Amino acid sequence: MTKVNALLINKASLYGTQPRAEGELPFCFLEKLLVLDYHLQYLIYRGNVDTTPTVSQTQRTTKLERTFEDFFIINKTQSTTIHTCIYPMDIQIAIFHCADDFTRHYVLAKLSICQFALPLLVPNPWDSSIEFPLWSLKQIRRSWREVAKIGWEKKIKNYNNQLISWQPTHIVSFIRVGNYVSTSKSQILNSLLSKGKHDHFFHYHSKDDNNRCLLREGMVEICWFCPGGRAEDRFENCIAFTNLHGNAATHQRQVRFLQEVSSVTIILLPTSDFDKRNSSLLLEFWNSPKPFICLFENVENVMDEYSAHKVRIGIKNLNKVEVADKITAALTQLLKKSGSPYSLSNWAAIARKYEFIIDEDQRNCEEARKKIDILMDILRKMKLSEIKEKLLPLQGGLWHDWCKKDKEYHQLREKRNRSIEEYRNEIEKEKHKIRCDQYHKVINLSDLMKSLLEGLQSHPETHTELYFLQGLSVFMDQLTTRELEKLHQRHSSLLAQVRTEKQKQSKRDSLRHWEADLQAVSKEISDSSLGVEHLLREVGQIYEALEEASSQTNTLFLSLPQMAADLMISGVPIELIDGDTSYVPLKWVAAVFDKVSEKLGDKRVFVLSVLGLQNSGKSTLLNAMFGLQFSFSAGRCTRGAYMQLVKVEEILREQLGYDFVLVVDTEGLRASELIQKAQNEENELATFVIGLGNLTLINILGKDLSEIQDILQIAIHAFLRMKQLNISPRCLFVHQNIEEIIDTNHSMERQKWLQERLDEMTLAAAKHEQCADVSHFSDVIKCDVKTHIHYFAHLWEGSPPMAPPNPCYSHNVQELKSSILTRAKEESRGSILKISELKVRIRDLWMALVNEKFIFRFKNTREATAMNKLETMYHSWTWELRSHVLDLQNQLTNQIQKGEVEEIRRNSIDNGVAEKHEAIKQEFERCFREDRDRETLAQWKGRFEDDLKNLKGELIAETMRKCEELISGKKIQDLFEEQKVKFELKLLEKISVIAESPRGKELHDKELRDLFNQIWSENMSVLLPPTLLSAEGPDIDIELENILLEYFKQHPNIVNKVRYRDTKKTFSINYSKHVITSQKFQLYGPSVEEFEKDIINKTTAQIMRRVKEIIHKREHQNEGYSSSYFYEILQVIHAEAEAAAQGARFMLTNRYKLDLALQLLQEAADSFKKMCIAFKKANNPVLYQESKRNEFFTNFKLSYKNRQNID
């Protein structure tokens, strides 16, 4: 049985875990194990074997009329039915024997979470061999807290998610000598491990039950006691307890193995069963230097005689607690005197001595281990924090830079004075250069990556690549865990110091040093966080570099996606969103999906995505629902997003409507300060997985919706802004740590409350996005609060680390899973995609997200609305300043042209602007001081303050430059007029000289032009100053693009709107897009009435008329071009549109303002270009002279012709 088959979605997944036939027992057992239901130990299917002979109707009647004595006195011969059953322990062992190593590891890991004992030595029922599943056991993780005594002080030491096999622990082994023991070792062990609160070891209450359990005879199980660092713990340290099933005398190899590895052996002995074979076994223990405890079943109060390492305890008439207490006291003393503890990993050599079959000794395991050793040798030679930079260079700075460039390609935040096409071409070249740099590193691939790619080569028969990958993750954890623990401790210490100093509002140098150290430690933690996921990420980057910078016939290029596809089909999670860059490597993901489709066929996939805050239990929930383990590495939370395939059983596929479930797990939102995830990245991640999933499971810890509500609200904004995708996401809420409400009224109240909260935030988002047809959460994200809300009990039944999972939690998981799978077909309504279609959906959704440059940077609608209001006020303030400066420019221009001013000083312009700027600044301060959203606005105050200050400087500099150009041009023009008469005389003199010269050839136009140019250069060109500003004017088209991108930046898809605007298109009103008629965005209003259309048309005509007047006025003023003219038009559009909506039941949308602005500003730009040329000709010395030069040449040529005619 493979792990893929063990996790198969089958009937037990849908219809519960009660078997209806013996053949269903293994599947029901696996399903209960999957959902962490420890009641699997009671899973029994009882069949009836009827041994009653056929009886006549007369006999039946007689029996029905039996007497009082006959009814209550039953003879043994009257028992007519024998009840037979298969016991859960037999089911577990049978599954173990049928399973491959990966399934065994999965089963053992689940049993460990359920706090069950694990198989340590397993006899083969068909021969005398004994298996030791060391490879599977080595990957078991446990957490505990030990009390360490330092002098008189006690200090708690935490062991979080440790590989238990590598921890040296004392081993205490329980064995039974004799066949007829009525006391259960398992019950004693359960009392020791958890005071009888949980059955860690299966046990049966009668000899008959033991005899019917067929497969566990001779098996040894192991279970660890993990202390919680509490006073009530039985033991202060982690201890492993083993239990040999059956009579130890008949299982000599197991006993000797246990004796060799154990610190203490506990022997359960019936006094009536002391035969020769038993006595020889006991003699071995007696002669051994290792301590042992002998429990006498039929003896009372024997603890008065024992040596330093041999203890006798009589347990007759003692209850379980008393027995456990006596054993605890004896063990505590004996363990203090015992030698150094063993770790499980060191047992292999001993197991080989007894000829046990060890899974690690298989050929595929050994081959994988050799490959792992090569990689680990490479890694160990280098400092941990330098490995990524030196051995995994493609995913470092190069990939980060590529992602930034790609996002900038779509969002154009740094475009400046380049056109959209020019800027994007530049970015494309830079992106290609980065890929080429990556490609050069691929050519010189590190030995680490060469070894990895060799290890990942597919071996369908042996699956060596899976052994390699799983083993590699374990060894890489060992490499990083200790160093990361030290760094995390250092980080916590520094963070505490920084917080303390900040609370004191300290400005000491030490605070700056600590902050610098904190940043350095955070970087080192990021650099030192290394797992298999980073190696696989490098594989993806190798592919993307080869795809763009190399020939696609490259053998390595073709093999990489197939490797990842094989892993994905085998159940290995594949990274969808890079956790460090928060970016989707689209080409790599598409190539992997193509290969998956090639191998499986273009199957239908139901996508289930999961979203939740950090530490809300979402990954645990996925593990319980589908057996998925997304975190490759211990102690590290999921980063980014991973996807994993779960297969659906063939017979269920048509019924369910899909062939596979693709589960997408995401990193926890609102993560710790260490991760420092940008708000826009979290919002993008949430929107992406909600949009991708047929259903998104939103996991919430407790009742508090506040944090996840903000993220959902931004996702609603995004979906309203990305209507072109035509997606209908659905979601389901899971509230963890809340018991299900039985009170119907209370339940309805909570549903109503949640519905109101969701609708309220949706309405606010819809109002901001001006979507009148949206008023309920389900209008955007489908959700029925009556059926799509689940309440989950607490995960643990008691206090960890020894607490088992809560059966109510397991029941909740089973119900949720069944609900999701059975409703998927109906609720998805044809939106279940094939693999090829899903690949396209990922691309389209990601491109839409990357193009969205506005909404993701906000925490919620309130922030976005506050920013929108601030932007509107800022535009008003800046227009006041621009308008004032334009008036000042007009005044100065008139003075210069009239000759009233010959010099302009900057301070005079400063003084002319200062009063207005100060008034605006006071209004600015008042807004941030008194506005109702002042707390929200405060975060942007510094930025807007700087923008206003910079704008003032730019306007003053522009005014100064214009004035200097005008003054310079005026002076040169005046000088030119002075020299004009002299120049004309010189030309006439030259003509006379030519005429008086001996007759020769008549001068043609070219010769006249050369002669004229010579005279011009000698007399007029010298009038120009040595340094002049360029005669070229501003690029008005580029300035228009920048103004539109900045002014309408909140508009969805604004870059493409500006880039692909139709300069020839005439504006016409689209009432569905340009007008909202719903009153207060709460009730759907009727369509636009005729009188309202009349108002709207008049408003549009008024705007167009006013804009034409502005253009005409600017042309008439002959002041040249200023970008402020565009802002003047925008101000008119905004003011008129807002005025039209005052007191009306409609409003003109932002789309109306944008579409109208695109036409009017383009028309204005065409006029401004002509104005700019005319102004330059009139005022620029170079252009002015050039215009006069042609005039003088014409006169010169005419004078020459006239003289020729006279002569």
Side-chain angles (χ1 to χ4, degrees):
M1 180 190 294
T2 66
K3 187 178 176 182
V4 170
N5 290 329
L7 298 178
L8 191 72
I9 294 172
N10 51 33
K11 288 183 178 179
S13 307
L14 301 179
Y15 306 122
T17 53
Q18 277 309 116
R20 291 170 292 183
E22 269 190 5
E24 293 181 2
L25 275 170
F27 305 105
C28 293
F29 183 94
L30 285 170
E31 187 64 25
K32 279 187 175 290
L33 186 64
L34 172 65
V35 299
L36 306 176
D37 185 358
Y38 70 72
H39 287 152
L40 60 85
Q41 63 185 323
Y42 310 121
L43 180 68
I44 291 176
Y45 173 76
R46 294 185 180 275
N48 291 330
V49 180
D50 192 355
T51 60
T52 308
T54 305
V55 294
S56 66
Q57 184 65 35
T58 305
Q59 289 174 311
R60 288 198 186 109
T61 304
T62 304
K63 286 186 178 181
L64 289 172
E65 297 172 354
R66 57 169 60 94
T67 64
F68 172 82
E69 289 82 1
D70 289 339
F71 183 84
F72 287 102
I73 300 172
I74 301 174
N75 298 323
K76 288 185 179 180
T77 56
Q78 288 181 281
S79 179
T80 59
T81 304
I82 299 172
H83 294 280
T84 62
C85 64
I86 298 174
Y87 281 89
M89 179 59 85
D90 281 340
I91 300 170
Q92 177 185 317
I93 300 169
I95 290 172
F96 179 88
H97 285 301
C98 296
D100 65 9
D101 288 332
F102 304 102
T103 309
R104 287 183 177 185
H105 165 246
Y106 158 75
V107 169
L108 265 58
K110 285 283 187 176
L111 288 171
S112 178
I113 296 171
C114 290
Q115 300 292 353
F116 286 134
L118 310 181
L120 178 65
L121 300 177
V122 185
N124 191 312
W126 296 279
D127 55 37
S128 59
S129 63
I130 297 172
E131 290 188 66
F132 177 28
L134 180 59
W135 187 83
S136 300
L137 287 167
K138 267 188 175 182
Q139 298 170 70
I140 300 300
R141 298 181 180 276
R142 296 299 298 266
S143 298
W144 68 95
R145 304 174 77 196
E146 290 186 355
V147 178
K149 294 181 180 178
I150 305 172
W152 294 98
E153 293 184 6
K154 290 186 177 181
K155 187 177 180 181
I156 300 294
K157 186 175 181 182
N158 291 308
Y159 295 83
N160 293 319
N161 208 29
Q162 297 291 314
L163 288 165
I164 193 71
S165 62
W166 295 94
Q167 297 297 321
T169 57
H170 285 295
I171 313 297
V172 177
S173 294
F174 273 68
I175 65 171
R176 164 169 59 89
V177 177
N179 291 316
Y180 304 106
V181 179
S182 58
T183 304
S184 168
K185 300 191 309 301
S186 298
Q187 284 185 309
I188 295 173
L189 279 163
N190 293 335
S191 295
L192 282 171
L193 289 166
S194 62
K195 301 182 180 178
K197 295 176 183 176
H198 177 63
D199 290 341
H200 303 274
F201 289 87
F202 286 9
H203 67 87
Y204 303 95
H205 299 290
S206 70
K207 181 177 69 177
D208 289 340
D209 278 343
N210 274 303
N211 290 338
R212 287 179 190 150
C213 193
L214 304 175
L215 299 178
R216 72 173 184 170
E217 180 69 23
M219 187 173 81
V220 177
E221 292 181 286
I222 185 169
C223 188
W224 286 267
F225 172 80
C226 297
R230 296 182 287 266
E232 61 267 24
D233 291 337
R234 282 198 180 275
F235 307 99
E236 291 184 346
N237 304 105
C238 185
I239 300 173
F241 289 89
T242 67
N243 183 18
L244 170 62
H245 292 282
N247 185 354
T250 60
H251 305 293
Q252 296 285 326
R253 290 160 67 196
Q254 291 95 315
V255 171
R256 290 193 174 91
F257 172 81
L258 291 176
Q259 187 179 7
E260 195 163 340
V261 300
S262 299
S263 301
V264 177
T265 304
I266 299 178
I267 305 169
L268 179 60
L269 185 68
T271 53
S272 59
D273 199 12
F274 193 78
D275 59 21
K276 185 175 181 181
R277 186 169 56 173
N278 293 344
S279 63
S280 64
L281 177 63
L282 293 172
L283 183 61
E284 290 183 27
F285 281 98
W286 178 262
N287 292 329
S288 171
K290 289 194 173 184
F292 70 88
I293 300 171
C294 195
L295 305 179
F296 293 91
E297 186 180 35
N298 297 322
V299 178
E300 295 184 73
N301 298 327
V302 179
M303 264 200 84
D304 52 342
E305 299 177 20
Y306 59 86
S307 66
H309 63 284
K310 296 180 178 66
V311 179
R312 297 187 302 172
I313 302 176
I315 61 174
K316 185 178 179 181
N317 295 330
L318 294 179
N319 60 36
K320 291 185 288 184
V321 175
E322 291 171 329
V323 172
D325 288 344
K326 287 180 177 289
I327 294 173
T328 301
L331 271 179
T332 302
Q333 295 302 317
L334 293 175
L335 289 175
K336 286 179 181 178
K337 301 172 185 177
S338 65
S340 300
Y342 275 99
S343 68
L344 188 65
S345 300
N346 297 329
W347 293 7
I350 302 171
R352 291 187 188 96
K353 186 171 70 174
Y354 293 102
E355 298 182 345
F356 296 156
I357 298 172
I358 304 174
D359 49 8
E360 278 196 338
D361 292 345
Q362 299 174 80
R363 181 173 63 87
N364 42 15
C365 245
E366 288 184 341
E367 287 179 4
R369 179 57 188 269
K370 289 176 184 176
K371 294 176 180 179
I372 292 169
D373 287 342
I374 294 171
L375 261 79
M376 295 310 298
D377 286 343
I378 296 170
L379 292 172
R380 290 189 187 104
K381 291 175 182 176
M382 191 166 291
K383 186 179 177 182
L384 181 60
S385 59
E386 296 177 355
I387 289 175
K388 282 186 184 178
E389 180 184 355
K390 294 183 178 178
L391 300 182
L392 306 174
L394 274 70
Q395 65 185 272
L398 291 172
W399 169 231
H400 284 246
D401 289 344
W402 190 95
C403 294
K404 290 175 184 174
K405 295 292 181 187
D406 189 60
K407 183 164 278 192
E408 180 60 18
Y409 177 87
H410 297 283
Q411 298 187 356
L412 307 179
R413 294 185 185 275
E414 304 293 331
K415 187 176 86 71
R416 296 190 180 94
N417 61 342
R418 291 159 288 191
S419 71
I420 292 176
E421 292 302 324
E422 287 172 346
Y423 187 46
R424 284 190 163 176
N425 287 337
E426 284 180 24
I427 293 174
E428 282 287 12
K429 290 176 183 176
E430 291 169 354
K431 285 168 58 182
H432 184 71
K433 182 180 181 303
I434 292 171
R435 287 301 190 199
C436 289
D437 291 343
Q438 285 184 316
Y439 175 67
H440 291 312
K441 293 184 182 296
V442 173
I443 295 173
N444 302 306
L445 205 59
S446 67
D447 291 339
L448 176 73
M449 291 308 298
K450 288 178 183 176
S451 301
L452 176 75
L453 294 175
E454 184 182 342
L456 290 178
Q457 293 294 329
S458 179
H459 299 81
E461 295 180 1
T462 61
H463 298 293
T464 306
E465 72 278 7
L466 297 180
Y467 286 97
F468 169 78
L469 201 62
Q470 192 132 355
L472 183 60
S473 69
V474 172
F475 281 97
M476 290 186 75
D477 281 342
Q478 282 184 292
L479 179 71
T480 61
T481 298
R482 194 165 296 175
E483 183 66 25
L484 283 173
E485 282 178 357
K486 292 177 185 176
L487 289 171
H488 280 292
Q489 289 173 3
R490 173 72 174 149
H491 184 273
S492 299
S493 174
L494 285 169
L495 186 61
Q497 289 174 317
V498 168
R499 283 175 174 170
T500 302
E501 289 299 311
K502 283 185 175 180
Q503 285 173 358
K504 296 176 183 177
Q505 297 184 338
S506 171
K507 295 183 179 179
R508 294 191 304 171
D509 290 340
S510 57
L511 175 59
R512 287 191 290 273
H513 289 314
W514 285 334
E515 286 178 329
D517 289 346
L518 185 64
Q519 190 173 0
V521 172
S522 296
K523 184 181 184 304
E524 191 171 359
I525 288 174
S526 176
D527 293 341
S528 302
S529 297
L530 183 68
V532 171
E533 61 269 32
H534 296 98
L535 301 181
L536 294 179
R537 183 183 299 165
E538 191 78 358
V539 174
Q541 284 307 300
I542 291 172
Y543 174 83
E544 293 219 330
L546 289 171
E547 197 273 345
E548 187 167 334
S550 174
S551 168
Q552 294 191 11
T553 57
N554 185 295
T555 307
L556 180 61
F557 170 85
L558 295 172
S559 67
L560 297 180
Q562 188 63 61
M563 287 181 189
D566 290 339
L567 293 176
M568 191 172 178
I569 293 167
S570 300
V572 175
I574 298 298
E575 190 173 56
L576 179 59
I577 297 181
D578 184 322
D580 289 333
T581 61
S582 297
Y583 227 74
V584 177
L586 283 176
K587 292 178 180 178
W588 168 243
V589 171
V592 173
F593 270 107
D594 285 340
K595 292 300 180 182
V596 170
S597 182
E598 279 182 24
K599 193 160 187 176
L600 298 178
D602 201 8
K603 301 296 184 182
R604 298 162 299 173
V605 180
F606 176 76
V607 182
L608 175 67
S609 53
V610 184
L611 200 64
L613 303 184
Q614 190 183 38
N615 297 324
S616 63
K618 59 183 180 53
S619 293
T620 303
L621 177 58
L622 282 180
N623 185 278
M625 286 176 67
F626 299 106
L628 309 182
Q629 188 68 48
F630 283 95
S631 296
F632 277 104
S633 310
R636 289 203 297 275
C637 297
T638 308
R639 295 287 308 276
Y642 285 84
M643 53 185 177
Q644 195 163 341
L645 274 177
V646 183
K647 193 176 180 181
V648 176
E649 194 175 21
E650 289 275 357
I651 59 174
L652 290 178
R653 291 182 176 182
E654 284 309 311
Q655 176 188 338
L656 294 179
Y658 48 89
D659 307 299
F660 288 87
V661 174
L662 182 76
V663 184
V664 180
D665 188 23
T666 59
E667 67 182 79
L669 304 173
R670 302 292 190 254
S672 67
E673 294 181 24
L674 176 61
I675 297 176
Q676 292 289 316
K677 204 73 170 178
Q679 187 165 265
N680 67 299
E681 292 175 349
E682 286 198 339
N683 289 333
E684 287 171 5
L685 172 69
T687 304
F688 181 77
V689 297
I690 293 173
L692 182 61
N694 294 105
L695 179 68
T696 300
L697 196 158
I698 297 173
N699 193 62
I700 302 165
L701 189 62
K703 300 179 183 178
D704 187 18
L705 276 175
S706 56
E707 291 287 352
I708 200 73
Q709 176 181 313
D710 287 341
I711 293 167
L712 278 177
Q713 195 170 43
I714 295 300
I716 289 169
H717 276 276
F719 291 128
L720 292 176
R721 297 163 72 87
M722 298 187 301
K723 292 180 179 179
Q724 76 277 10
L725 290 178
N726 193 28
I727 56 177
S728 299
R730 308 183 69 84
C731 78
L732 178 150
F733 291 91
V734 172
H735 289 270
Q736 301 254 14
N737 289 9
I738 298 180
E739 295 292 344
E740 188 172 2
I741 301 168
I742 298 174
D743 184 352
T744 307
N745 292 330
H746 191 189
S747 177
M748 290 177 66
E749 285 176 10
R750 183 177 284 182
Q751 290 174 5
K752 182 181 177 183
W753 173 84
L754 179 60
Q755 185 72 68
E756 288 173 352
R757 292 285 296 276
L758 295 174
D759 289 347
E760 181 184 330
M761 73 179 193
T762 304
L763 199 60
K767 180 178 179 180
H768 184 274
E769 299 299 337
Q770 300 181 336
C771 296
D773 57 342
V774 172
S775 58
H776 299 288
F777 180 73
S778 56
D779 292 336
V780 184
I781 300 175
K782 305 298 180 187
C783 179
D784 184 350
V785 294
K786 295 178 182 177
T787 57
H788 284 188
I789 300 176
H790 293 253
Y791 299 101
F792 271 42
H794 194 282
L795 173 60
W796 302 113
E797 187 178 58
S799 300
M802 291 303 292
N806 187 342
C808 292
Y809 179 89
S810 304
H811 179 68
N812 296 146
V813 170
Q814 184 62 55
E815 280 190 336
L816 175 63
K817 181 179 179 181
S818 178
S819 173
I820 289 172
L821 296 174
T822 52
R823 293 180 182 174
K825 181 178 182 180
E826 175 189 348
E827 294 186 349
S828 294
R829 294 176 186 173
S831 63
I832 293 175
L833 304 177
K834 293 182 178 179
I835 294 174
S836 59
E837 297 168 331
L838 180 60
K839 177 189 73 172
V840 176
R841 166 64 58 81
I842 291 171
R843 182 200 64 201
D844 292 347
L845 180 58
W846 181 248
M847 295 311 298
L849 291 178
V850 172
N851 275 291
E852 175 52 57
K853 60 183 287 188
F854 178 75
I855 199 64
F856 290 129
R857 56 194 173 118
F858 300 109
K859 182 179 180 182
N860 50 34
T861 302
R862 184 176 179 180
E863 271 200 3
T865 303
M867 170 58 87
N868 192 27
K869 178 174 62 176
L870 181 57
E871 290 275 9
T872 302
M873 289 189 292
Y874 181 76
H875 288 152
S876 176
W877 295 328
T878 55
W879 169 240
E880 285 185 45
L881 188 60
R882 287 178 183 278
S883 178
H884 178 77
V885 172
L886 283 176
D887 291 341
L888 181 60
Q889 284 181 9
N890 184 30
Q891 178 186 346
L892 292 172
T893 299
N894 290 334
Q895 291 175 348
I896 292 168
Q897 288 175 345
K898 291 176 181 178
E900 297 174 2
V901 176
E902 293 186 357
E903 183 181 6
I904 296 290
R905 294 187 180 277
R906 185 181 178 94
N907 61 352
S908 65
I909 300 176
D910 284 341
N911 294 335
V913 176
E915 184 179 348
K916 190 64 178 179
H917 179 263
E918 188 59 33
I920 292 171
K921 193 172 179 183
Q922 287 178 10
E923 183 68 18
F924 177 89
E925 293 291 342
R926 188 185 65 77
C927 168
F928 281 92
R929 186 174 60 251
E930 298 177 7
D931 193 275
R932 66 177 183 176
D933 293 321
R934 56 187 174 275
E935 292 182 2
T936 303
L937 296 175
Q939 61 185 306
W940 303 306
K941 183 180 179 182
R943 195 192 96 197
F944 277 86
E945 204 166 26
D946 290 342
D947 288 348
L948 192 60
K949 182 180 177 182
N950 293 337
L951 177 62
K952 174 193 169 187
E954 289 169 8
L955 292 174
I956 290 173
E958 180 188 353
T959 304
M960 190 73 189
R961 178 179 54 78
K962 273 193 169 185
C963 290
E964 287 176 346
E965 286 181 2
L966 284 171
I967 291 171
S968 175
K970 184 75 168 59
K971 287 179 179 178
I972 293 172
Q973 288 178 23
D974 292 343
L975 183 60
F976 185 87
E977 292 300 325
E978 291 176 10
Q979 297 294 324
K980 178 179 177 182
V981 177
K982 294 179 182 179
F983 182 66
E984 288 175 341
L985 290 173
K986 288 235 179 212
L987 290 177
L988 291 173
E989 288 175 7
K990 193 66 176 176
I991 291 171
S992 299
V993 170
I994 295 171
E996 292 172 2
S997 63
R999 281 202 176 268
K1001 184 177 167 186
E1002 182 180 346
L1003 296 176
H1004 296 293
D1005 285 355
K1006 184 179 182 306
E1007 294 166 317
L1008 284 173
R1009 171 71 71 179
D1010 293 340
L1011 181 61
F1012 173 81
N1013 288 342
Q1014 179 185 350
I1015 302 168
W1016 182 271
S1017 299
E1018 292 171 353
N1019 295 274
M1020 303 302 288
S1021 294
V1022 295
L1023 299 178
L1024 294 175
T1027 57
L1028 272 176
L1029 293 172
S1030 171
E1032 293 183 10
D1035 191 321
I1036 293 176
D1037 287 329
I1038 292 177
E1039 288 202 358
L1040 175 57
E1041 283 182 352
N1042 291 342
I1043 289 168
L1044 287 169
L1045 290 173
E1046 188 277 331
Y1047 193 88
F1048 292 103
K1049 61 188 170 189
Q1050 66 168 327
H1051 198 283
N1053 205 24
I1054 183 59
V1055 172
N1056 288 329
K1057 291 277 185 185
V1058 173
R1059 182 187 179 192
Y1060 299 114
R1061 66 189 187 279
D1062 187 349
T1063 57
K1064 305 293 184 184
K1065 186 177 179 182
T1066 303
F1067 176 81
S1068 61
I1069 297 172
N1070 183 328
Y1071 291 101
S1072 63
K1073 295 179 180 179
H1074 292 159
V1075 184
I1076 295 177
T1077 59
S1078 51
Q1079 187 70 20
K1080 297 182 181 179
F1081 299 86
Q1082 291 179 358
L1083 299 172
Y1084 296 121
S1087 59
V1088 184
E1089 301 288 353
E1090 287 302 319
F1091 77 93
E1092 292 172 328
K1093 289 183 179 180
D1094 187 50
I1095 295 171
I1096 294 166
N1097 288 328
K1098 285 181 178 179
T1099 299
T1100 306
Q1102 169 74 356
I1103 292 171
M1104 290 181 171
R1105 183 181 60 77
R1106 285 193 59 187
V1107 169
K1108 285 181 180 178
E1109 289 175 356
I1110 290 169
I1111 295 172
H1112 180 72
K1113 182 181 76 172
R1114 295 303 176 190
E1115 287 174 340
H1116 180 71
Q1117 286 176 340
N1118 193 26
E1119 295 176 359
Y1121 162 77
S1122 170
S1123 60
S1124 293
Y1125 299 164
F1126 285 125
Y1127 287 100
E1128 184 177 12
I1129 295 171
L1130 289 170
Q1131 184 66 19
V1132 168
I1133 295 172
H1134 175 77
E1136 291 288 347
E1138 293 299 308
Q1142 289 296 321
R1145 58 177 288 284
F1146 70 86
M1147 73 170 292
L1148 298 171
T1149 64
N1150 292 331
R1151 176 69 180 270
Y1152 169 87
K1153 297 174 186 176
L1154 172 62
D1155 289 347
L1156 187 54
L1158 288 174
Q1159 176 184 323
L1160 296 180
L1161 291 184
Q1162 187 60 53
E1163 291 176 0
D1166 295 337
S1167 296
F1168 294 160
K1169 289 175 190 175
K1170 295 174 184 176
M1171 286 167 45
C1172 187
I1173 293 170
F1175 182 80
K1176 286 289 184 182
K1177 281 184 178 180
N1179 296 280
N1180 185 281
V1182 176
L1183 295 178
Y1184 180 79
Q1185 274 206 11
E1186 284 301 313
S1187 65
K1188 295 296 181 182
R1189 181 175 187 163
N1190 291 330
E1191 182 184 330
F1192 274 103
F1193 175 69
T1194 302
N1195 292 335
F1196 173 70
K1197 182 179 175 182
L1198 185 60
S1199 297
Y1200 174 75
K1201 295 291 184 184
N1202 291 337
R1203 185 64 181 264
Q1204 286 289 100
N1205 293 334
I1206 294 171
D1207 294 341

